Amino acid sequence: MSQKPVISRAYYADAIENFLDCSSDEILGSLARTSAFSIEASQRDAWIEQIRVLRVSLAPYRGQGKIYFEYAVPRLGKRIDVLILIGHVIFIIEFKVGEKDFTASATDQVWDYALDLKNFHETTHDKPIAPVLVATRAKSAVMAISTTQQNDAVLLPIHASPDQLLNVFEQVLLFCDGPLINPEQWDLGRYHPTPTIVEAAIALYSGHAVSEISRSDAGVINLSQTSETVAEIIRSSRQLSRKSICFVTGVPGAGKTLVGLNIATKNINKDSELYSVFLSGNGPLVEILREALARDEVKRGIAMGKKPKKGEALSRVKAFIQNVHHFRDECLADATRPPIEHVAIFDEAQRAWNLEQTAAFMLRKKQRTDFNQSEPEFLMSCLNRHSDWAVVVCLVGGGQEINTGEAGIAEWITSLNRSFADWHVHISPQLNDEEYGAGTAVSEVANRANVHFEKNLHLGVSMRSFRAEHVSSLIKQVLDRELSVAKRTLQQLQDRYPIVLTRSVSRAKAWMKEHARGTERYGIVVSSQAQRLKPHAIDVRSPMDPIHWFLDGKEDVRSSYYLEDVATEFHVQGLELDWACVVWDADFRFGADGWQHYSFVGSRWNHIHKKDRQTYLKNAYRVLLTRARQGMVVVVPDGETTDATRHSAYYDSTFNYLESVGFKVI
């Protein structure tokens, strides 16, 4: 029985001997036919130069592997210039045609490609990978072949001139060990990426399917299943002319936001009845996603030979990614007309305002003295104006309320019972769990008509850390003071997901820089209440721009890479870093009777007595401690006995507790 053909991710792929025997015109023809864009002269010339160089360098390796041109990396939205399997090694080659220098950004680029395949391509995990940067006008380069401190078979990027490439192949093959790679078996490897929310949004907006950018592990309810369940609720609501609300739950980093973006990007056409809007009260997230999508649209337009305008790109993005408060204001302006959208997706729905907060805002900002609805109830009433059908999708995180007046998910269910008796309700069974704070409300709604419990509406595995799924569980156990359980969980993940503890900010910065490779993003995060870190050059009140912090590169002083500006829970919720430094202040201290909660007012720390504010502070640290995808360092400063606001006793008990969990001290 013949094997099912593999759909190639490359514009050109063939055995090395066939590549050597084909004419340049034949190879160019194959590349041009497969390319999604019209071929510019500069691209054609670049391919000709690459083919010329590789013919010489690969001549000794006839019959020993396979070559791929323009190999797709969907998570990064890019293509590898050339990927070559020779013997037991995978070579990732980035050509800089016409360049004589080996720039830091180009080095990071080829390193990123190697790391992406290492982490997410099934048949690459255990293979040696050599990232190689070739500057075609370089005379020669200092050629160093070595592993990184991770010692995971990904070599440090190698710089080479065209004349040195053959020597690179020879030296790397001698340096690395391993069995021969079977190209046919390697081609069968599946790609299971774990993109950041920004990478995922860009991929979806540019036309990739959610299945291309998400894991599909056996036993895990994956994003495709959850997305399809939500899509079916939308389709059936439209067909049957009914109003529906569904609650998608998930652990931190499970991909709830990605489910919402997937629905929104699929239904982006304003003329479609299924036109959807993605709403979030998370201002930084909205601004960062809009900016990232607009930048990418401009970049893709330029690559296609167009002259796109960023302002126009931003306008298109703003139509389907909106701040929930702006959507609310539009509905307030006309109290009878339904919104253009039939489907509204509310990200972090648990953070919607309660009645008290909403009424206070309406009185203060809108001069509305008679407003008597919570934000969930008002937002549902806006969709309820449609005479035929509507769907509200609530994306719900557990233990994520971090600000005054955030109602939690119980207010949505209470509003349903109070005002929307005819709506169909689709609930994840996990909504009963304690961290969602909706248990009583769910039990009340369970007895009404048209309630459907659907297990596919829960995402139970964090994708934020592709190295260790149980990071969110560990942080919950640490914060809940479940010491013995936390110790066991840490043992399960510490080999794949390093968490270290230190008293020194400078040591923590060095640790992150040592571990980050390529453009892996790192940064410092702190609680918004951490007001006594100024002696460590950390001032939470100093303004920072989340767009520059999250999106800009290593050359920009405003970016997270510079480790000068810090982000708080309000900046980072819903977003992620590869490596995080969490600096712990005296606002949240470990004591004999559990956690102690403080706010700094004037010149002293004051006890926080209100239960809801204590919860917000605990959740702030939950958010900070679950931002890192690959590992983190926690800094608990030494304190200073001569400073009454930074007494050592305020910090030592917290450090000792975290050390007792088993975090390695550096």
Side-chain angles (χ1 to χ4, degrees):
M1 183 176 176
S2 61
Q3 197 171 42
K4 185 178 178 180
V6 177
I7 298 174
S8 178
R9 290 169 53 195
Y11 285 175
Y12 171 91
D14 211 338
I16 290 175
E17 61 266 32
N18 293 338
F19 166 76
L20 293 172
D21 292 339
C22 279
S23 69
S24 295
D25 285 344
E26 288 178 290
I27 298 168
L28 281 172
S30 178
L31 286 165
R33 283 192 300 273
T34 316
S35 173
F37 308 123
S38 59
I39 306 303
E40 299 289 324
S42 59
Q43 178 62 75
R44 183 179 181 279
D45 292 344
W47 283 336
I48 290 173
E49 178 65 5
Q50 292 168 21
I51 293 167
R52 183 193 69 77
V53 171
L54 289 165
R55 281 191 189 284
V56 175
S57 304
L58 288 175
Y61 299 103
R62 178 183 292 273
Q64 296 186 43
K66 190 170 182 178
I67 184 170
Y68 307 77
F69 279 77
E70 303 293 336
Y71 190 89
V73 186
R75 183 184 73 93
L76 300 178
K78 296 179 180 178
R79 288 183 174 273
I80 298 169
D81 281 347
V82 180
L83 184 151
I84 310 175
L85 308 179
I86 305 178
H88 54 283
V89 176
I90 301 168
F91 291 89
I92 309 290
I93 305 178
E94 176 65 22
F95 281 91
K96 294 303 177 185
V97 176
E99 299 292 330
K100 61 181 180 180
D101 297 319
F102 301 95
T103 65
S105 61
T107 302
D108 282 344
Q109 181 182 1
V110 72
W111 209 353
D112 285 347
Y113 293 154
L115 292 168
D116 188 88
L117 290 182
K118 170 69 181 179
N119 291 327
F120 306 125
H121 186 242
E122 195 173 45
T123 47
T124 299
H125 292 325
D126 58 347
K127 309 290 192 299
I129 308 173
V132 183
L133 177 62
V134 178
T136 61
R137 289 181 60 197
K139 297 298 182 184
S140 63
V142 177
M143 200 176 70
I145 298 172
S146 63
T147 57
T148 66
Q149 69 167 17
Q150 284 84 351
N151 200 28
D152 57 2
V154 178
L155 302 185
L156 283 166
I158 302 163
H159 295 164
S161 68
D163 293 340
Q164 292 175 299
L165 192 53
L166 174 57
N167 191 33
V168 168
F169 293 153
E170 292 172 347
Q171 296 303 316
V172 170
L173 289 167
L174 288 171
F175 183 84
C176 297
D177 297 320
L180 291 177
I181 299 171
N182 181 324
E184 290 185 2
Q185 291 299 316
W186 188 84
D187 281 337
L188 294 173
R190 293 171 297 178
Y191 182 64
H192 293 318
T194 308
T196 67
I197 188 60
V198 171
E199 291 167 343
I202 289 172
L204 291 171
Y205 191 56
S206 60
H208 288 284
V210 72
S211 59
E212 293 181 77
I213 55 168
S214 63
R215 289 165 43 181
S216 54
D217 311 27
V220 175
I221 296 176
N222 64 64
L223 295 175
S224 296
Q225 291 173 274
T226 303
S227 295
E228 181 53 37
T229 299
V230 175
E232 178 54 36
I233 292 168
I234 293 171
R235 284 194 294 268
S236 62
S237 297
R238 179 192 176 198
Q239 290 168 359
L240 300 172
S241 292
R242 66 190 184 196
K243 313 281 176 57
S244 301
I245 185 170
C246 65
F247 297 91
V248 177
T249 56
V251 300
K256 301 177 292 295
T257 301
L258 182 51
V259 169
L261 287 170
N262 185 46
I263 297 295
T265 52
K266 279 185 175 179
N267 302 300
I268 204 169
N269 183 0
K270 281 191 174 183
D271 296 327
S272 168
E273 272 200 3
L274 296 177
Y275 178 56
S276 307
V277 61
F278 179 89
L279 301 170
S280 176
N282 184 337
L285 176 67
V286 169
E287 294 302 318
I288 288 165
L289 289 179
R290 285 174 171 177
E291 178 71 15
L293 295 182
R295 288 185 187 185
D296 184 69
E297 184 175 330
V298 169
K299 188 188 303 181
R300 286 187 288 114
I302 292 172
M304 296 172 68
K306 299 178 181 178
K307 295 181 179 179
K309 294 181 178 178
K310 185 180 174 185
E312 294 177 358
L314 267 174
S315 294
R316 284 188 287 273
V317 172
K318 286 179 178 178
F320 83 99
I321 296 182
Q322 295 183 28
N323 189 300
V324 67
H325 304 307
H326 298 164
F327 179 84
R328 175 203 62 205
D329 292 347
E330 283 292 316
C331 292
L332 277 172
D334 188 330
T336 58
R337 187 177 63 184
I340 184 175
E341 305 89 357
H342 278 74
V343 180
I345 303 147
F346 293 98
D347 192 33
E348 296 176 9
Q350 75 283 350
R351 295 189 61 191
W353 290 347
N354 58 25
L355 172 59
E356 182 182 7
Q357 184 79 358
T358 309
F361 173 84
M362 291 297 182
L363 177 62
R364 188 173 65 255
K365 296 290 187 180
K366 306 293 182 183
Q367 289 73 53
R368 295 282 296 269
T369 59
D370 57 343
F371 200 84
N372 60 358
Q373 292 177 301
S374 65
E375 196 167 41
E377 184 168 1
F378 177 71
L379 292 170
M380 279 190 282
S381 74
C382 297
L383 273 295
N384 200 47
R385 296 173 190 173
H386 285 288
S387 59
D388 46 3
W389 70 280
V391 175
V392 170
V393 180
C394 291
L395 310 175
V396 186
Q400 300 282 293
E401 302 89 350
I402 58 174
N403 211 350
T404 302
E406 293 178 354
I409 208 61
E411 178 57 32
W412 287 88
I413 297 174
T414 300
S415 297
L416 275 168
N417 286 339
R418 183 169 55 237
S419 306
F420 306 100
D422 59 332
W423 280 48
H424 283 246
V425 183
H426 300 263
I427 298 182
S428 152
Q430 274 69 22
L431 207 59
N432 273 308
D433 291 356
E434 181 181 353
E435 64 259 39
Y436 297 103
T440 303
V442 170
S443 64
E444 292 174 0
V445 81
N447 296 321
R448 63 180 269 168
N450 303 323
V451 175
H452 316 273
F453 286 90
E454 303 187 40
K455 66 178 183 179
N456 279 3
L457 292 177
H458 180 71
L459 294 162
V461 175
S462 175
M463 297 198 314
R464 177 164 294 132
S465 170
F466 52 86
R467 296 193 178 281
E469 301 168 345
H470 305 296
V471 174
S472 58
S473 297
L474 171 65
I475 299 309
K476 183 178 186 299
Q477 292 154 10
V478 169
L479 294 179
D480 290 347
R481 297 180 294 122
E482 298 174 355
L483 184 59
S484 59
V485 182
K487 285 182 175 180
R488 289 196 297 271
T489 305
L490 179 61
Q491 289 176 351
Q492 294 173 13
L493 59 82
Q494 61 187 358
D495 290 339
R496 292 168 293 149
Y497 185 97
I499 305 176
V500 297
L501 184 64
T502 184
R503 309 303 297 254
S504 167
V505 173
S506 61
R507 200 172 299 142
K509 290 180 178 180
W511 185 88
M512 282 195 295
K513 290 179 179 180
E514 289 167 3
H515 281 75
R517 296 182 284 184
T519 60
E520 290 175 349
R521 186 168 289 276
Y522 50 85
I524 300 173
V525 295
V526 299
S527 159
S528 59
Q529 298 297 315
Q531 294 194 39
R532 290 306 298 134
L533 296 175
K534 289 181 183 179
H536 305 283
I538 294 174
D539 186 355
V540 293
R541 295 191 173 187
S542 178
M544 58 84 78
D545 187 327
I547 289 175
H548 295 298
W549 201 84
F550 271 106
L551 298 181
D552 289 350
K554 295 178 180 178
E555 72 287 346
D556 196 309
V557 297
R558 299 166 296 181
S559 76
S560 65
Y561 293 115
Y562 257 73
L563 302 178
E564 292 182 2
D565 292 333
V566 300
T568 72
E569 69 272 19
F570 299 115
H571 299 125
V572 301
Q573 189 171 39
L575 294 154
E576 56 265 293
L577 298 161
D578 286 294
W579 304 91
C581 170
V582 182
V583 186
W584 206 300
D585 202 8
D587 55 332
F588 194 57
R589 311 172 196 170
F590 191 80
D593 299 321
W595 294 106
Q596 298 172 355
H597 311 76
Y598 291 84
S599 65
F600 193 80
V601 181
S603 61
R604 59 193 293 264
W605 291 104
N606 291 334
H607 265 289
I608 295 174
H609 297 289
K610 289 187 176 180
K611 289 293 183 184
D612 58 349
R613 288 189 61 202
Q614 292 180 358
T615 299
Y616 298 149
L617 185 55
K618 180 180 179 181
N619 286 345
Y621 274 86
R622 187 196 311 274
V623 168
L624 299 175
L625 292 163
T626 54
R627 291 310 94 188
R629 288 158 52 84
Q630 301 202 50
M632 67 176 154
V633 53
V634 180
V635 182
V636 184
D638 276 318
E640 175 57 60
T641 53
T642 60
D643 183 346
T645 67
R646 296 191 303 118
H647 199 281
S648 297
Y650 298 168
Y651 300 93
D652 289 349
S653 58
T654 302
F655 181 88
N656 293 337
Y657 169 64
L658 295 175
E659 186 179 16
S660 73
V661 174
F663 297 137
K664 179 183 176 183
V665 177
I666 61 169

